[in-house]
Amino acid sequence: MRTIRTVAALRATRRDGETVALVPTMGYLHDGHLALIRAARQQADQVVVSLFVNPRQFNDPSDLDNYPRDEQRDAALASDAGADFLFAPTPDEVYPPGFATQVRVGGPLTEALEGAHRGAEHFHGVTTVVTKLLNMVAPDVALFGQKDAQQALVIRRLVTDLDMPVRIEVVPTVREPDGLALSSRNVRLGDDDRRRALALSRALRAAEGTVAAGTTDAAQVLTAARAAMTPFDVEPEYLALVDPEDLSPVGTVDQETLLAVAALVGPVRLIDNTILVPAGSPGTNGRH
Ligand code: AMP
């Protein structure tokens, strides 16, 4: 695997007739990222993993300062998982002096949930850098994680609205054995907070159980989810049942519904989500 720093060097790697898959990451790779890279390996001749901690998507400067980084380790992991190129540009390569463009997806997709709590600017930072990465790499397919369900929806919207010639693939969330969704930020959890972090996945499991038992009332589902968090002494920033396509609030879980949660656990803000499938429903139809 080769590490590449510039767009020019990246373009020079393109070979006629070969398909390319892109896995955008902010590094500090874990098994969730590796699942994306392995899925990419199945789908294209060349796999490009991008590693760029995008300052424009951080609403909290201390989160950016404390974001874990280890490029050497990332290079070894990406290579083992099947990547051909690690594209690790400098901030100046991505945002050269004079850079003045922003790519925004408007409306509820960026204003709900994370947008309401971190600000829609977070997603404007994401869509700007993803547009740039897609233009730099020109992949046939780009892979994203269901862990960031709202981000995946925003990127699908972006690619559709701007007629970008790329297929977007969403890969299921990879979890620790105890249920905690893998995240680069998990390394910043101390022992006690690592235990408390289970509150999020336990809330999701409680809601799944409630829905599987036949409850469709959203308020009851949310009550069960919230109750599962209480023993961990974790207060959700939001815990919301929404339509999995447009993120509009849902009052009855009578079809597939996205349950999304965010919470501050010690110094770390964590997010997680699940798709609730009502009892007797045919299940996910390949969309998630
Ligand atoms: P990040 O480096 O956090 O920006 O994540 C890069 C990509 O990996 C995004 O598409 C994330 O949704 C995805 N990802 C992060 N955590 C997980 C996980 N636990 N399971 C699956 N995909 C993940």
Side-chain angles (χ1 to χ4, degrees):
M1 191 193 71
R2 258 179 70 197
T3 297
I4 291 180
R5 305 269 169 214
T6 66
V7 179
L10 184 70
R11 294 235 163 96
T13 67
R14 285 305 294 257
R15 274 173 250 146
D16 279 353
E18 288 200 342
T19 55
V20 175
L22 170 65
V23 179
T25 83
M26 298 203 300
Y28 216 76
L29 301 186
H30 51 64
D31 279 345
H33 297 113
L34 302 186
L36 267 63
I37 298 171
R38 290 190 194 105
R41 182 71 282 161
Q42 302 299 312
Q43 304 206 16
D45 300 318
Q46 293 196 356
V47 174
V48 179
V49 175
S50 64
L51 192 179
F52 182 61
V53 182
N54 175 31
R56 286 173 188 247
Q57 73 188 69
F58 283 80
N59 52 305
D60 173 0
S62 86
D63 189 26
L64 175 60
D65 288 344
N66 292 314
Y67 203 83
R69 298 163 203 240
D70 188 343
E71 186 185 310
Q72 267 199 346
R73 177 174 165 278
D74 287 344
L77 289 170
S79 173
D80 284 353
D84 299 296
F85 301 102
L86 184 69
F87 177 50
T90 61
D92 260 10
E93 179 73 7
V94 178
Y95 303 117
F99 186 87
T101 299
Q102 205 184 40
V103 182
R104 294 175 170 222
V105 171
L109 284 188
T110 54
E111 287 163 5
L113 306 177
E114 289 294 281
H117 291 266
R118 297 182 72 175
E121 295 74 25
H122 159 67
F123 286 114
H124 303 334
V126 169
T127 45
T128 300
V129 82
V130 169
T131 300
K132 286 193 58 99
L133 289 167
L134 292 173
N135 285 336
M136 290 165 168
V137 179
D140 299 276
V141 57
L143 296 93
F144 296 86
Q146 175 66 17
K147 159 80 173 16
D148 298 279
Q150 186 173 7
Q151 172 175 280
L153 286 175
V154 169
I155 286 163
R156 280 196 195 281
R157 187 79 256 159
L158 167 78
V159 161
T160 301
D161 287 358
L162 296 186
D163 306 299
M164 293 175 164
V166 62
R167 190 158 50 83
I168 301 300
E169 181 118 337
V170 179
V171 174
T173 301
V174 178
R175 298 178 179 281
E176 298 282 4
D178 65 5
L180 176 67
L182 297 188
S183 162
S184 304
R185 292 182 175 89
N186 290 352
V187 291
R188 297 185 51 221
L189 293 166
D191 288 349
D192 190 40
D193 289 332
R194 170 64 183 79
R195 278 187 290 274
R196 296 177 61 230
L198 277 184
L200 286 83
S201 54
R202 291 294 169 83
L204 304 180
R205 299 296 88 80
E208 285 166 356
T210 308
V211 168
T215 302
T216 54
D217 179 57
Q220 281 183 41
V221 175
L222 291 174
T223 300
R226 193 174 271 272
M229 299 181 81
T230 308
F232 296 95
D233 194 24
V234 171
E235 187 64 28
E237 207 175 89
Y238 63 78
L239 180 67
L241 284 166
V242 295
D243 181 283
E245 301 298 323
D246 65 15
L247 303 183
S248 60
V250 159
T252 310
V253 184
D254 54 4
Q255 50 192 324
E256 286 182 22
T257 302
L258 177 69
L259 174 60
V261 61
L264 195 62
V265 179
V268 188
R269 188 174 178 283
L270 298 174
I271 60 171
D272 202 349
N273 70 83
T274 190
I275 301 281
L276 298 175
V277 182
S281 125
T284 57
N285 45 37
R287 280 182 301 133
H288 305 293

